[in-house]
Amino acid sequence: MSGPDLAVYSGDALNPAKIADNLHDTKLAGWTTILLGLFHVGGQPGTVIYFNDLPVIVDGSLTELFKGWQQPLHEILEARIVRRIYASFGRGEPVQDFSNIYKIYQNNNNSFAGTMLETHLKVLRHAFPAITGIDMNVEDTNDDASFVAFCRLVRGMGFDISFCGFGTEHAQNFWFWINCLQAIEQSSWGKGAVKRLNLQYYAKCEAPDFWADKIKTRLPGFNTEQFINIGYWACFYNPKTTSWAKSCPSDVQKTLAEFKKHGNGSVGGAFIWNLDYVLQTSLSPEGCGGYAFMGDYTRAIWNALST
C-alpha cells in the first residue's frame, strides 16, 4: 500500500442529476475510494432499489434517470486516482434496509434465490460495472443469518465487501460485525471477501485496536494490518447548541491523528461523512477561516495518517 486510503461517502453530490457538476473535482481531489451512499432496499420489500430518495431500479428495470450514470462513474476512475467505487447499503431515514432484507430472506424459505432483490442486484452489477463493491451499513436489524446470506449473494455476483461498523463491547451490534466477519471468513465462499472495516469511530464505538484484537481472537490468521478505515464527519450535529456545525480540514486532521494513535497498525485509511457536507464548505467561507475544498480534506486525511 503506497499511502493511506482516502475515502468519502458521497451523499447526493454524485447522483445522476448532480454528478456532472462535481465530476472534475471528485476525480482529481485525491480520494482513493468513493462510497456511493446511500442505497436502500424499499418498496414491497425489494421491489425498488433507491439511491437516497431516487429510485434506481423498479420491478427489475433501471429507471430512466440512472441509465446514463455509468459513464460519469467510469470517468471518475479514468484519472486513476480513485481506485474503487462501492455502493453503500443502509443507514438513512427511515432505517429499514436490512429489516427488509431479513423479511425477503425469511419469506423466501431462508434464501434470496429467485427474489426481486436478487434480480435487482444483478441489474446493478450489469448496469454499473464501475461499482465493484458493496458496503454494508447495518443500523436496524442485526440478523446474522440473513446478513451473511446477503453477503454471499453479492459476493457470488463478483462484488467485494466492506463493513461500515460501530458499537461497544457490551452492545449487540459490536458482536454482530465480529460474528459475521468470522462466518464469512470461515465459509467456503467468503475468505478474503471483506476488504475493509469502515469504522464509525466518531459514534459510540470501541477503538480500532480493540476491534483488531477481537477479530484476531476469533480469526487468528486474519490480517488486520491496515484493515480499518477510521471515520470522521465534515458536518455534525452539536446537541449542546442544537445546531449543525462544520468540521473543517484542520479539525479533521487533528481528530484523525488522535484516532490513529488507537490503531496499533490496524488503521489503513480514513473516510469522511460525507461529500455533500464537504461541498458546503466550498460554497461558504464561514467557520473554516475561508473556503475549504475537497482537496483540503484529502490532504487533511493524508497528513493525519502519514505521520
Side-chain angles (χ1 to χ4, degrees):
M1 184 173 175
S2 57
D5 187 24
L6 314 178
V8 66
Y9 283 82
S10 71
D12 265 326
L14 298 182
N15 76 27
K18 297 181 179 180
I19 192 170
D21 294 334
N22 301 312
L23 183 61
H24 179 268
D25 290 345
T26 303
K27 284 171 60 176
L28 302 178
W31 307 114
T32 54
T33 298
I34 302 288
L35 299 129
L36 297 169
L38 297 159
F39 282 81
H40 301 294
V41 177
Q44 263 323 94
T47 57
V48 182
I49 297 290
Y50 291 92
F51 183 64
N52 296 315
D53 60 349
L54 299 174
V56 183
I57 305 165
V58 180
D59 293 330
S61 298
L62 196 67
T63 61
E64 194 65 33
L65 178 62
F66 282 83
K67 287 183 178 178
W69 203 31
Q70 164 58 22
Q71 181 55 39
L73 292 180
H74 176 71
E75 288 182 35
I76 288 175
L77 296 170
E78 280 184 327
R80 299 186 182 276
I81 299 172
V82 177
R83 301 170 193 162
R84 63 196 70 83
I85 299 175
Y86 277 35
S88 184
F89 277 77
R91 195 170 173 168
E93 295 292 342
V95 183
Q96 60 186 14
D97 302 286
F98 288 90
S99 300
N100 285 339
I101 288 169
Y102 167 71
K103 291 173 185 175
I104 295 165
Y105 180 76
Q106 189 179 50
N107 293 337
N108 196 55
N109 296 316
N110 294 337
S111 170
F112 293 113
T115 63
M116 188 60 75
L117 178 59
E118 179 186 51
T119 297
H120 283 172
L121 289 167
K122 288 179 179 178
V123 171
L124 183 75
R125 187 75 176 109
H126 175 75
F128 308 116
I131 299 174
T132 57
I134 302 293
D135 180 64
M136 312 285 187
N137 190 346
V138 182
E139 300 196 7
D140 47 345
T141 297
N142 296 135
D143 180 72
D144 295 16
S146 59
F147 178 79
V148 171
F150 183 68
C151 290
R152 181 174 187 173
L153 177 64
V154 301
R155 185 60 172 170
M157 296 177 184
F159 288 112
D160 289 331
I161 296 168
S162 64
F163 290 170
C164 188
F166 65 100
T168 60
E169 182 182 11
H170 302 293
Q172 179 189 8
N173 53 6
F174 176 86
W175 293 107
F176 168 79
W177 295 109
I178 301 294
N179 293 341
C180 291
L181 178 62
Q182 181 181 10
I184 292 168
E185 274 293 304
Q186 293 179 340
S187 71
S188 61
W189 54 269
K191 189 172 181 60
V194 181
K195 305 299 184 183
R196 182 79 67 186
L197 170 59
N198 295 311
L199 188 60
Q200 298 181 48
Y201 195 25
Y202 48 81
K204 291 182 179 179
C205 196
E206 300 289 357
D209 55 1
F210 187 88
W211 284 80
D213 287 345
K214 294 301 181 184
I215 290 170
K216 286 186 286 190
T217 298
R218 290 287 191 87
L219 295 163
F222 190 89
N223 184 11
T224 59
E225 190 75 15
Q226 299 185 332
F227 176 63
I228 297 174
N229 273 5
I230 46 178
Y232 200 55
W233 38 38
C235 188
F236 65 96
Y237 182 75
N238 187 335
K240 292 182 180 179
T241 61
T242 64
S243 62
W244 288 85
K246 294 177 183 178
S247 184
C248 300
S250 58
D251 304 318
V252 170
Q253 181 173 332
K254 180 180 178 181
T255 302
L256 291 179
E258 287 298 315
F259 286 178
K260 185 192 176 187
K261 294 177 183 177
H262 305 284
N264 197 24
S266 63
V267 174
F271 69 86
I272 296 293
W273 177 267
N274 68 31
L275 194 56
D276 288 339
Y277 297 146
V278 169
L279 289 174
Q280 288 177 15
T281 69
S282 69
L283 298 173
S284 171
E286 298 176 5
C288 286
Y291 298 98
F293 299 94
M294 287 193 211
D296 297 313
Y297 284 89
T298 56
R299 277 189 292 276
I301 299 173
W302 181 278
N303 291 339
L305 302 187
S306 298
T307 55

